[in-house]
Amino acid sequence: MKTPQDATAADTVAVNAAGPDPVQLRRLWTLVDNLDACFYVKDVEGRYLFANQALGAVFGTDPANIVGKSDALFVELDASSIGATDRQTWSTGEKVATDEIVCLRNGDCRMFRSVKLPLFDEERRVIGLCGISTDITEQRRAVDELIERNALLNTVLANVDAAIYLKDQEGRYLYANGPVLALHGRDLVDLVGHTDSELMPHDAAARVAAYDAEVLAGEGEETREETIIGADGCKHHFRSRKVRLQLPGQPTCLIGFSTEITELRGLRRRLEHERITDSLTGLANRVMFESALEEQLVMATLGGVRLAVVLIDLDQFKLINNSFGQGIGDELIQLVGQRLQQCNVVLGSLARLSGDEFAFILPHAGSTEEVARQVEQIRAFLAQPYPILRQPLHLTFSAGVALSRGSLHGAAELLGRAEAAMYSAKDNGRDQYRFYSPELGATVDQRVALERDLRAAIGSAEFALHYQPKMRRDGSIAGFEALIRWNRPGVGLVAPDQFIPLAEQLGLLLHLGRWVIEQACLQIAAWRDAGLGTIPIAVNLSTSQLTSAALPDYVFGLMREHAIEPGCLEMELTESMMMSDPDLAIAILHRLRGGGVALSIDDFGTGFSSMSYLRQLPVNYLKLDRSFVQNCAIDPKDADLCAGIMALAHKLDMHVVAEGVETLEQHRTLAACDCDLFQGFLFSRPMSERAATEFLRSAH
């Protein structure tokens, strides 16, 4: 610390007895008086000896009113630091440069940057001070706001999910926010000044450094994916955007924004796996199979060999699924997939295409006989019992085979041919395999066209109901059976046995069945309103309708809308339809019967569960199948069988309808067996609505 004796001319203002030149002094005071900064002189008692205009403006008075006064008259001393700096100057005899707060009497507080110099007499004793103070209130406020904004920005950056960082040209960190620090397990102080090579293995660090160098050189892509090895030793994948940053007067640096995509990449892999993999069996799915087939077709063509595409399908799997539940069905599918992987035949690109349909490739397919032998070997292996229930479950399989022919066929076409061959095997009795042939292709084309036209016909006016009468013994009309017909454009009327099975497969039969019920109700009402009486009409139910819990409410709504009397709407079902879900079917039938719908078992005697369910079903009629009627007039055994069935039905309070009655002899024989109603060509073929109306009028 300097002593007063050590002060230099630059640090002090000495009082000379002789004094300076008066002219120079006036010029000096004029200059000082007009400074923008506050200039002042005080004695050791704190009284002002001089104050310029700027200080007068701060204190809000004429400078002449300040001279001789102390700060206490203008300033709140307790809230200001002005007194402390004055005392420091007097006590130390040294220059004091500091920022000080000055709170005025009017309540305004301002910040000044002050320099204060001690004044000495000839004996180097401190006799006062002179000072110059610059108002920095606005500047300081701006600095404080900047600091506040920087603190806020740092808080924001520290808490965003993205990693944000600054690096110099040597790759040293200048700044890093929270996610970067967490990734490397360091505090900011421990990270700044370090490079990536000090934070992770050399290879990973070298790739990051190369990317940074490209960005700094302005040559590389600004956005890309990169891998960082974290403090946990794991790979973390980021989508990074890095920008070359050049601030005025500052060295070039790099600013980076990196979003971690480790989980996203994992999700992508899972989604891609799910896209090409069957979730139930873990095998490839149709997408993956078709892609693999395309590749193998190219390789087979280049190698001059051919391959075989095989589709194999469980027979009657829907019945198994419905009978034992989806859980058993899923377990069965898994076991079949496992067996296909375990068979002794080399299979290429094994896949599950859909519910119970598998596909695979036989590479280097030799002769047709060799392919057939392999397919039969696979089918035999699959047909071994499955220990899935208390009793081993036996299955049969249908297969379709299509052989490649050079580059003539693509994967989709070859797969379609194998599928067509497989469906041909099913249509011809199941439990066999078929090779694709041009004749089979024509059949497939016809099926595709039929499916296309059938889909287009739903909701159009192409369907109509024809009516076949049911007659009593005395020749009067007991009612009609409504039979759907399809007026297919360019073809004409199509019988139901040609399109109903396909409609069932395509899921169209529920909609079509509702239309039939509605039309039947409309016709009952139309004949009634025309004065032709209350004529019952029977419609055929489908399996999909019988397993729809919404069916009764739909039917009851139509009956109320058209004022259909109980017993006038009849519904026919077959015994086999009960097998998918007997409990649900019986519950639905009881609701229908309770709501005034008459029920009939169609084709009675052909189902394998006729007697077991007969007493449980709330039916009004049994329709004797035409196979019993056909020979009843010439074969006593058939006649006795018909008589037995009728006696049983009557014991159960049911009426019997004989269908397929074509001759008088059949009619007489059945009447002798106490048959209630008759239906067949002997009385009439199915008729259009107009013809049926005329038939009724003529009967009246």
Side-chain angles (χ1 to χ4, degrees), residues 97 118 134 148 188-189 202 272 325 334 364 456 463 515 581 619 622 639 648 660 677:
T134 304
E148 185 177 347
L188 183 60
V189 176
H202 173 74
E272 177 61 19
Q334 291 173 331
H364 306 290
F463 293 103
W515 178 85
D581 191 340
V619 298
L622 290 185
L648 174 64
L677 302 175

Side-chain angles (χ1 to χ4, degrees), residues 13-19 119-122 127:
V13 176
V15 177
N16 191 312
L119 298 175
F120 301 95
D121 61 11
E122 290 92 342
I127 60 173

Side-chain angles (χ1 to χ4, degrees), residues 481-496:
E481 180 182 359
L483 301 166
I484 191 170
R485 296 291 186 267
W486 175 23
N487 189 12
R488 185 181 178 190
V491 177
L493 288 180
V494 180

